Amino acid sequence: MQKRSFFDDMDPAETREWLDALESVVEREGPERAAWLLDVIANEAQEQGIHRTHLNTPYLNTISPQDEASIPGDVFMERRIRSLVRWNALAMVMRANMNNDDELGGHIASFASSATLYDVGFNHFFRAPSDENEGDLVFFQGHSAPGVYARAYLEGRISEEQLDNFRREVDGQGLSSYPHPWLMPDFWQFPTVSMGLGPIQAIYQAHIMKYLQNRELIQKDNRKVWAFMGDGEMDEPESLGALALAGREKLDNLVFVVNCNLQRLDGPVRGNGKIIQELEGVFRGAGWNVIKVVWGRLWDPLLEKDNQGLLRRRMEECVDGEYQAYKKNGGAYTREHFFGAYPELKELVAHMSDEDIYRLNRGGHDPFKVYAAYHEATKHTGRPTVILAKTVKGYATGAGEAVNKTHQMKKLDLESLKEFRDRFDMPFTDEQLKDVPYYRPDPESAELRYMNEQRNKLGGYMPVRRQQASQALTIPGLDVFASFLEGSGDREISTTMAFVRMMSALIKDKQIGDRVVPIVPDEARTFGMEGLFRQLGIYSSGGQKYEPEDAGQVMYYREDKKGRILEEGINEAGAMSGWLAAATSYSVHNFALIPFYIYYSMFGFQRIGDLAWAAGDSQARGFLLGATAGRTTLNGEGLQHQDGHSHILAGTIPNCVSYDPTYSYELAVILHDGLKRMYEDNEKVFYYLTLMNENYVHGAMPEGAEEGIRRGMYLLREGKGKTKKSPRVQLLGSGTILREVEAAAELLREDFGIAADVWSVTSFNELRREGIQKDRDELLHPDSEREQNWVEKCLDGREGPVIASTDYMRSFADQIRPWVKSPYSVLGTDGFGRSDSRQKLRHFFEVDRHFVVLAALNALRKEGKVDAATVKQAIEQYGIDTDKPYPVMH
C-alpha cells in the first residue's frame, strides 16, 4: 500500500495508525474481514449520530492499475481499425449532408466519444449467435449508429452505395437513421434511439433470459445483455426506473455502459455537479456493481506521485462544467485553471508541455482501461454491472470537441477535417478531402484480416437479427375453444373471465402450453387470475422464502423459481417491457413465447405508448389485453381510470391488430386467428384486445360469422318490423355497448314498429385499414374494376340509415364513414370519464339504448320516413332531458 499523507490532515500520525491497521487486516485476514470491520465501524458511527453516505467512492477509477486485466490483442492494430471506423462514420454523415438541399442530419459527436467503448467490445467481448450459444444482446446507443455502420462497411457487410444512402430509406437501399429492426430486419435487434427505451428494454431482456433459463426452456450459459447509453439519457424515467428490479433479481447477465461525455443535447448534463458520482450513487443504491472508468492511463503516473492527495482533492472539487471547459480550451488553460489551483499541483506538471497536459486522456478513450472494466464486468456474479466511462463529446473533431452545440454537428470545417485526417492517419490529400471519401483497405490487408479474425473468435459479425424462429409452432384448431363457441347458457360471465379460461385451455395444450406466458402488473385478482397462482406459480428468481398468509387457501399466493406468471408490480412500463422481451424471444432466443399481458386498458397505450411503438418496430408477437375497457364499463372508478380512446391510439401503430369483442365466441375466434397469424404464418403483427368486467349471457356463435369476426364486422341479428313496409335501420355496435344496441333494436321494433338490423363490429380499426387499402388500389389501378371493401360488402343492398354506438370517442366509429353509403350517425363517449353506475354513465355520454333509438329516429326523420312528432315522442317516452349538459366539456 502506498504510504501517503493527506493535505488537510489534522493528525497524520493517527491517520497512519488507522491505515496501517487496515492494511494489516487485509494482508493477514483478507479483504472480506476488512470489509466486515468497516461495516461494523460504519454501523457504530451511525448509532453515535455520525451520518455520512456510503454510496460514493472517490472520483477515481474503480480498478487500480495493478489490478487491471491485460488487453490480449494487438493494441496498435486495434487503434488503426478504430481510426478507420471513426473516419468512415464521419464521412458517411458528412456526405449525407453535402451537395443537396435535404439536410438529412446525422450525428458525429456521440460516436466520436464512444468509439473506444464499442471497439473494445467488438474486438473482445460481443459474441454473435453460433452453434455454441445464441450470442450476446447489444443495445446500441441510437445516436452512435454511424459508427456501427462504418464497422459493418469495413467488414464487407454494407456497401459504399448503402453508406451513401444513409437516411435515404424510401427506395429500399438506404440505412436507417437509427437502430430500427422494422427497416433493417436482418441487422438491428432493438430500437433504442427514443431515449430511455434502451435501458429499460435491456433490463427486461436480461430478466426474461433468466426466466427462460430458470424454467429450463433455454440453455443456461453466460450470455450477456450489453446496453450502451449516454449520461444525458439517464435523466429519462425509463432509464433509471427499473434499476431496482435488476439489482433485486441479481441480473448478472446484464452490463450497462454509460458514455459519460458530460453533455446532453444543449449543454452540460450536470454543469454544477458530477454526473458520474450521481449515477454511481443511484446504481449502488439499487444493488448494482459499479465500475468507474474516469481517467486514462496517462494520469496514472501523476496519481502515483500524488502523495498528499491534492490531485485527488482537485478532481473532487471540479464540476463537470469545468471539465468541459478544460477539454475545450486546451492544455495551457488546464494548467492554469485546474492544476494552478494549488502550487503543489502546478509543480507536479511543471515538466509537462501544454500538449502533454491536453493529451491527459479520459478513461473512456483508453482501450486498456475499457478492456479491464469489461473483463471485470463479464466475470462479476450476483449483481448487474454498470460501467461509467468518462469521455469527451465530439472527441478529436477539432472545433467540435466539447462544445455545447456539438450534438447538432453534422459537418466539419476543412481545417478540422484535416486535423481529423492527420490524427487518424488517413491517406487523403487536401484536395481529396473536399469530397470526404470513404476508406476501406484491401480485404487482405492486415487491418481487415485482424478485424475478421477477432470476430470469428466471437462467433461472427454483429449486430445481426434472426427474423424467424427455426421452428414454427403448431397451433391447435379452433375447437380448443369449443365450449366458448357454444355460449355460456344461462350463466352471466365477463369477457375478462372468458379470456382467462381460454388462456388456461391453451396452457393445457401439449404443443404450445409451455410457451404461454401470463403477464400482469399487479391486478391479477381484479382480472380473476388468482386461480393461476397455485396452478402456474408466480415467477421469482429466488423462489418463495416465506409461507404466505393465505397458504391454507386453494388460491394462495405462490412464488416459484420455475413459476410461469410474470407479475411485475405496480409498474406498467416494466410489465410492458417484460412483454416486449417475451414477444421478441422468437428472434432473440430462437424460442417463441406467447405472452398475454393483461392490464387496465386506460394504463396501456396512453401510459406506455413509446414502448408500444417500439414493439411495432421490434416486430413483437403476442397479445395485449386491455381489461375494464371502455368509458363506462368500469363504473365506480372515475376520470383517470376510464378508457375511451385506447383503440384510437392502438390504430396509430401500423402492425398492431386491434379488436373490441363483445361475446366469448368472438374473443375465441380472434385469439385463434392471432395465434395462427403470428406463430404459424409468422406475420409481423401483434394484437390488442379489449375486455370488459361486465357480466352478461353469451350466446352461441351465429352460423357463418367467423369470417366477419376476423375481418371486423358481421350481421348479428336480422331486424323485424311491424309490417313488411316498416322503415329499416342498420345499427352498429362493439364491445360492451353492442348490448345497448341490441336493446335499442328491440325498442325500435316494439315502440315504433321499425326494423333494425344489428351488426357486431369487432374492429373499426381493421375495417378502416382495409378500406384505405382498397381505395389505394383503385387510385393506382383506374382501369381495373373496383373491389368492394368489407364494410361495403356487408351494407350493400341494406336499407336505411346507419347508426353506430361504442364506448369510445366518436372518432373511433367515424373511421369507416367514407364507405358507408347511407346517412351515417355516430355516438361515442367523448369527454372525461366519471364515477357512477353503468346505466347512468351510458345515458350521460349519450350512447345507451335510448340515445341509439333517438339517433335512429332522427336519421329516419331526415329521410322522411318518420315525422318530428315521433322523435319528440321518443324523447318524452324515455325521459331524455333536452337541456342536459354536453358531456364532452361537462
Side-chain angles (χ1 to χ4, degrees):
M1 180 180 291
Q2 181 185 4
K3 305 293 185 182
R4 66 175 184 269
S5 58
F6 297 91
F7 179 72
D8 53 357
D9 194 346
M10 295 173 57
D11 189 343
E14 182 183 38
T15 303
R16 186 72 264 153
E17 289 177 7
W18 279 86
L19 292 178
D20 287 344
L22 177 63
E23 182 178 0
S24 176
V25 171
V26 172
E27 289 179 354
R28 293 173 179 271
E29 303 180 60
E32 293 79 10
R33 172 65 177 170
W36 185 86
L37 287 173
L38 289 173
D39 285 341
V40 170
I41 292 171
N43 292 337
E44 181 64 25
Q46 182 79 18
E47 291 183 14
Q48 294 189 27
I50 303 171
H51 303 293
R52 60 168 300 164
T53 177
H54 295 282
L55 292 179
N56 276 122
T57 60
Y59 196 57
L60 298 169
N61 292 348
T62 302
I63 305 173
S64 60
Q66 62 269 24
D67 293 331
E68 292 172 359
S70 298
I71 190 168
D74 183 337
V75 293
F76 298 102
M77 186 61 68
E78 290 182 17
R79 184 192 182 278
R80 179 59 180 160
I81 292 169
R82 194 157 56 248
S83 299
L84 297 174
V85 173
R86 286 182 184 278
W87 176 265
N88 288 308
L90 172 71
M92 180 179 65
V93 175
M94 287 190 64
R95 287 166 68 103
N97 293 279
M98 290 171 58
N99 304 320
N100 65 71
D101 298 324
D102 294 333
E103 285 293 315
L104 294 173
H107 298 279
I108 295 172
S110 291
F111 179 71
S113 66
S114 58
T116 302
L117 301 176
Y118 286 113
D119 188 59
V120 172
F122 275 116
N123 285 329
H124 300 286
F125 292 96
F126 302 160
R127 293 167 301 172
S130 65
D131 294 338
E132 282 71 37
N133 63 49
E134 290 298 327
D136 295 329
L137 310 180
V138 182
F139 287 77
F140 294 95
Q141 186 182 12
H143 291 121
S144 294
V148 182
Y149 291 140
R151 171 172 273 269
Y153 167 66
L154 292 174
E155 293 168 337
R157 302 175 64 205
I158 287 177
S159 68
E160 186 169 318
E161 180 185 7
Q162 286 176 292
L163 291 187
D164 269 341
N165 281 290
F166 173 57
R167 294 196 166 198
R168 296 181 182 276
E169 304 168 68
V170 171
D171 294 329
Q173 295 299 314
L175 301 177
S176 64
S177 52
Y178 302 120
H180 291 306
W182 185 266
L183 299 171
M184 296 181 67
D186 295 318
F187 194 84
W188 294 117
Q189 277 190 303
F190 310 107
T192 55
V193 81
S194 187
M195 286 188 278
L197 297 192
I200 196 170
Q201 286 184 83
I203 289 172
Y204 279 89
Q205 282 287 354
H207 180 44
I208 295 301
M209 186 186 294
K210 291 279 191 180
Y211 167 82
L212 285 165
Q213 291 172 346
N214 285 332
R215 286 188 57 203
E216 300 178 356
L217 296 176
I218 64 173
Q219 178 183 352
K220 281 193 175 183
D221 52 29
N222 60 347
R223 293 174 70 194
K224 297 291 183 183
V225 178
W226 295 81
F228 289 78
M229 62 216 72
D231 46 359
E233 183 177 1
M234 301 311 289
D235 282 343
E236 289 283 3
E238 292 88 352
S239 294
L240 300 178
L243 296 187
L245 170 100
R248 184 172 63 250
E249 291 292 311
K250 299 178 173 57
L251 298 180
D252 51 12
N253 58 342
L254 176 65
V255 180
F256 271 23
V257 181
V258 185
N259 175 22
C260 297
N261 57 36
L262 313 186
Q263 289 183 246
R264 52 190 180 198
L265 308 189
D266 287 335
V269 178
R270 294 291 184 273
N272 296 315
K274 283 188 175 66
I275 187 60
I276 288 179
Q277 298 299 85
E278 178 183 322
L279 291 176
E280 179 187 28
V282 171
F283 278 94
R284 281 168 61 90
W288 287 56
N289 174 43
V290 178
I291 301 175
K292 294 193 294 189
V293 186
V294 185
W295 310 109
R297 66 191 184 282
L298 297 181
W299 285 91
D300 289 344
L302 297 179
L303 288 165
E304 182 67 24
K305 295 176 183 178
D306 183 32
N307 294 326
Q308 291 184 301
L310 266 180
L311 181 55
R312 292 164 173 79
R313 177 173 178 166
R314 186 66 182 132
M315 290 171 168
E316 297 281 356
E317 289 174 346
C318 291
V319 295
D320 285 351
E322 292 175 295
Y323 281 117
Q324 182 180 343
Y326 298 146
K327 186 51 65 176
K328 169 65 176 65
N329 294 320
Y333 180 92
T334 304
R335 181 192 302 275
E336 184 64 29
H337 291 83
F338 179 77
F339 293 103
Y342 298 99
E344 294 88 344
L345 288 186
K346 206 164 189 179
E347 179 62 27
L348 184 67
V349 295
H351 66 288
M352 299 174 66
S353 68
D354 291 344
E355 180 62 26
D356 290 336
I357 291 176
Y358 175 75
R359 290 180 59 247
L360 288 170
N361 55 344
R362 294 182 180 178
H365 298 301
D366 189 324
F368 294 87
K369 302 294 185 183
V370 173
Y371 179 88
Y374 286 8
H375 181 271
E376 176 67 23
T378 56
K379 302 300 181 186
H380 189 82
T381 59
R383 288 183 296 170
T385 293
V386 60
I387 295 167
L388 304 174
K390 189 175 183 179
T391 65
V392 179
K393 193 159 188 175
Y395 178 77
T397 58
E401 190 170 77
V403 298
N404 282 335
K405 63 181 181 180
T406 189
H407 186 79
Q408 284 72 34
M409 180 177 62
K410 49 186 178 286
K411 298 178 182 178
L412 293 189
D413 60 76
L414 187 57
E415 287 306 310
S416 293
L417 194 59
K418 290 177 181 178
E419 290 179 27
F420 198 93
R421 172 201 62 188
D422 296 341
R423 183 165 183 171
F424 297 112
D425 304 316
M426 291 297 109
F428 302 119
T429 65
D430 290 355
E431 186 63 28
Q432 289 174 318
L433 278 185
K434 296 177 182 178
D435 295 326
V436 198
Y438 301 118
Y439 181 60
R440 180 164 58 190
D442 184 272
E444 294 304 314
S445 66
E447 297 97 328
L448 296 195
R449 284 205 313 271
Y450 182 88
M451 175 183 280
N452 291 325
E453 287 170 3
Q454 291 301 107
R455 288 312 310 163
N456 287 336
K457 292 176 186 177
L458 294 166
Y461 298 115
M462 287 188 72
V464 65
R465 181 181 175 276
R466 177 188 293 106
Q467 290 204 53
Q468 308 291 355
S470 58
Q471 184 176 4
L473 299 184
T474 301
I475 302 302
L478 184 57
D479 56 359
V480 71
F481 301 134
S483 61
F484 301 98
L485 303 178
E486 298 166 0
S488 64
D490 296 330
R491 187 179 180 191
E492 294 186 343
I493 63 171
S494 66
T495 50
T496 302
M497 185 183 301
F499 158 72
V500 172
R501 292 179 178 175
M502 290 179 199
M503 185 173 63
S504 297
L506 290 176
I507 288 169
K508 296 174 184 176
D509 183 80
K510 293 182 180 179
Q511 296 293 323
I512 65 171
D514 282 346
R515 312 286 183 129
V516 175
V517 180
I519 303 174
V520 290
D522 192 31
E523 292 274 6
R525 299 182 193 279
T526 301
F527 307 135
M529 295 175 64
E530 67 269 31
L532 299 178
F533 288 170
R534 182 174 182 178
Q535 176 188 352
L536 303 179
I538 299 163
Y539 172 70
S540 170
S541 60
Q544 191 160 32
K545 301 176 182 178
Y546 63 95
E547 183 176 79
E549 62 82 20
D550 55 358
Q553 300 178 18
V554 174
M555 293 182 286
Y556 68 92
Y557 193 84
R558 183 173 74 86
E559 297 185 74
D560 193 319
K561 191 171 184 177
K562 294 185 179 181
R564 182 87 63 92
I565 302 169
L566 289 169
E567 187 165 40
E568 302 297 355
I570 306 173
N571 180 6
E572 287 85 5
M576 181 64 185
S577 297
W579 177 87
L580 179 50
T584 54
S585 64
Y586 72 93
S587 173
V588 172
H589 302 292
N590 197 24
F591 187 90
L593 292 175
I594 307 174
F596 291 90
Y597 170 34
I598 184 170
Y599 55 88
Y600 273 122
S601 66
M602 186 67 161
F603 304 142
F605 295 101
Q606 174 174 302
R607 182 167 287 188
I608 48 83
D610 210 0
L611 284 164
W613 190 260
D617 193 350
S618 301
Q619 301 171 39
R621 297 172 188 170
F623 295 90
L624 299 174
L625 292 307
T628 60
R631 190 81 80 196
T632 68
T633 187
L634 190 60
N635 51 330
E637 290 287 348
L639 185 150
Q640 288 189 296
H641 282 64
Q642 293 175 339
D643 160 37
H645 49 276
S646 66
H647 274 289
I648 297 169
L649 298 176
T652 65
I653 302 174
N655 56 336
C656 177
V657 181
S658 55
Y659 289 90
D660 185 33
T662 305
Y663 294 115
S664 55
Y665 64 80
E666 295 176 345
L667 180 59
V669 169
I670 294 164
L671 282 176
H672 184 263
D673 187 53
L675 289 167
K676 186 176 186 305
R677 289 179 65 182
M678 291 186 287
Y679 297 100
E680 272 193 3
D681 302 337
N682 290 320
E683 289 192 43
K684 302 172 184 178
V685 296
F686 66 96
Y687 273 59
Y688 173 60
L689 312 180
T690 40
L691 306 173
M692 282 73 70
N693 64 336
E694 188 172 354
N695 295 319
Y696 45 82
V697 171
H698 295 242
M701 182 169 70
E703 186 176 350
E706 189 176 336
E707 181 183 10
I709 292 171
R710 291 197 307 267
R711 298 187 67 170
M713 176 179 178
Y714 69 97
L715 182 64
L716 179 63
R717 187 171 295 112
E718 189 89 33
K720 295 182 180 179
K722 288 284 180 70
T723 67
K724 289 185 178 181
K725 295 185 178 181
S726 294
R728 182 174 291 272
V729 293
Q730 307 299 315
L731 303 183
L732 280 57
S734 72
T736 192
I737 301 301
L738 174 61
R739 296 177 61 251
E740 292 293 320
V741 170
E742 292 180 83
E746 294 299 316
L747 292 178
L748 283 167
R749 183 180 65 83
E750 294 173 2
D751 295 347
F752 300 97
I754 294 169
D757 299 335
V758 177
W759 298 83
S760 175
V761 181
T762 53
S763 181
F764 283 102
N765 285 348
E766 290 304 296
L767 293 175
R768 172 187 176 274
R769 285 176 175 169
E770 192 217 20
I772 290 173
Q773 182 180 346
K774 297 295 185 186
D775 285 355
R776 177 183 179 273
D777 291 343
E778 180 186 24
L779 176 69
L780 297 178
H781 304 93
D783 296 333
S784 300
E785 183 179 351
R786 185 184 186 280
E787 182 180 353
Q788 287 185 316
N789 61 52
W790 190 249
V791 172
E792 293 169 329
K793 286 180 179 178
C794 287
L795 296 179
D796 189 23
R798 293 280 169 177
E799 297 180 11
V802 181
I803 292 86
S805 185
T806 76
D807 216 10
Y808 297 88
M809 296 169 64
R810 286 177 174 81
S811 55
F812 177 51
D814 205 54
Q815 296 180 99
I816 65 170
R817 183 177 295 277
W819 308 290
V820 179
K821 306 308 179 185
S822 301
Y824 187 40
S825 302
V826 172
L827 306 180
T829 57
D830 294 68
F832 288 119
R834 60 200 60 220
S835 176
D836 213 310
S837 68
R838 294 189 179 104
Q839 181 180 358
K840 285 191 175 182
L841 288 174
R842 288 164 187 168
H843 186 77
F844 171 82
F845 283 108
E846 301 171 4
V847 296
D848 67 354
R849 62 195 67 184
H850 297 143
F851 274 94
V852 173
V853 170
L854 186 60
L857 293 174
N858 193 51
L860 290 170
R861 178 190 64 80
K862 292 178 180 179
E863 292 190 340
K865 301 290 180 65
V866 301
D867 55 19
T870 303
V871 180
K872 291 183 69 176
Q873 175 191 338
I875 292 173
E876 294 172 1
Q877 183 173 340
Y878 301 137
I880 296 174
D881 180 5
T882 57
D883 295 322
K884 71 184 290 289
Y886 181 40
V888 173
M889 295 301 295
H890 180 62

